[in-house]
């Protein structure tokens, strides 16, 4: 009986068709799964027109260098319940008259993108944003504008833990 089970069988054209079908079927299935993940996870769009965006590069770079030369410092705490930032100037003095806008979202997709305004926290230089955030990695661009017209912008990566 074992000899009949393990007896060599001829390899026919139908066997070869099955092998080819399984081979290409596997490749096509993996490609479709990967394409679905790629299409649903991130658009890949950073700017709509890279040529137009490049035209203001030198001006934006000069503005960012001037902002960084001010020496402002932003420290803070991030939690699932919100964000708490402390803003100080180059001398360590708390900045009181700032309007802070935070553009925040996930680094890999734009489903959770939000533009939020922080409110003053009652203590010198303390600003609060009490909006719940899901756990994980967030990318934020913090824009600060003072009453005297000076501005400052910084980009942060924030990790929210439960």
């Amino acid at each position: 009986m074992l000899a009949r089970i393990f007896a060599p069988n001829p390899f026919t054209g139908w066997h070869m068709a099955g092998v080819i079908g399984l081979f290409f079927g596997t490749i096509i299935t993996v490609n479709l799964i990967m394409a679905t993940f790629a299409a649903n996870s991130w658009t890949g769009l950073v700017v709509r027109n890279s040529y137009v965006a490049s035209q203001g590069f030198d001006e934006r770079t000069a503005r960012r260098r001037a902002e960084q030369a001010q020496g402002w410092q932003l420290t803070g705490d991030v939690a699932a319940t919100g964000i708490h930032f402390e803003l100080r100037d180059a001398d360590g003095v708390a900045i009181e008259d700032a309007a802070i806008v935070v553009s925040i979202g996930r680094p890999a997709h734009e489903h959770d993108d939000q533009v939020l305004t922080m409110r003053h926290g009652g203590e010198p230089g303390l600003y609060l944003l009490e909006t719940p955030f899901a756990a994980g990695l967030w990318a934020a661009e913090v824009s600060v504008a003072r009453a005297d017209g000076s501005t400052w912008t910084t980009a942060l990566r924030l990790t929210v833990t439960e």
Side-chain angles (χ1 to χ4, degrees):
M1 176 145 157
L2 286 177
R4 194 177 77 161
I5 293 174
F6 293 110
N9 292 324
F11 190 77
T12 65
W14 288 109
H15 292 114
M16 189 63 200
V19 168
I20 291 173
L22 288 172
F23 177 77
F24 285 108
T26 302
I27 291 173
I28 291 169
T29 302
V30 169
N31 281 336
L32 289 174
I33 289 170
M34 297 303 252
T36 302
F37 286 152
N40 292 330
S41 64
W42 186 47
T43 62
L45 183 66
V46 177
V47 294
R48 294 214 182 273
N49 186 329
S50 59
Y51 176 75
V52 172
S54 71
Q55 297 306 297
F57 178 78
D58 292 335
E59 178 183 308
R60 284 191 309 273
T61 302
R63 187 175 65 240
R64 291 278 170 119
R65 285 184 180 147
E67 288 176 352
Q68 295 304 318
Q70 296 176 102
W72 293 4
Q73 302 156 4
L74 184 72
T75 57
D77 181 35
V78 180
T81 57
I83 301 172
H84 305 270
F85 283 144
E86 189 173 334
L87 184 62
R88 299 194 174 274
D89 65 11
D91 298 325
V93 178
I95 297 175
E96 291 290 324
D97 59 346
I100 301 178
V101 176
V102 179
S103 299
I104 191 165
R106 300 288 190 167
H109 58 80
E110 55 196 29
H111 301 299
D112 297 326
D113 287 1
Q114 306 173 53
V115 177
L116 304 166
T117 303
M118 299 189 82
R119 66 176 180 82
H120 195 273
E123 296 178 24
L126 181 66
Y127 295 88
L128 307 173
L129 180 60
E130 294 172 344
T131 301
F133 293 102
L137 186 63
W138 293 84
E141 182 174 273
V142 181
S143 299
V144 179
R146 292 187 72 178
D148 64 2
S150 58
T151 60
W152 184 70
T153 304
T154 189
L156 303 170
R157 287 288 174 123
L158 309 170
T159 303
V160 177
T161 57
E162 299 240 4

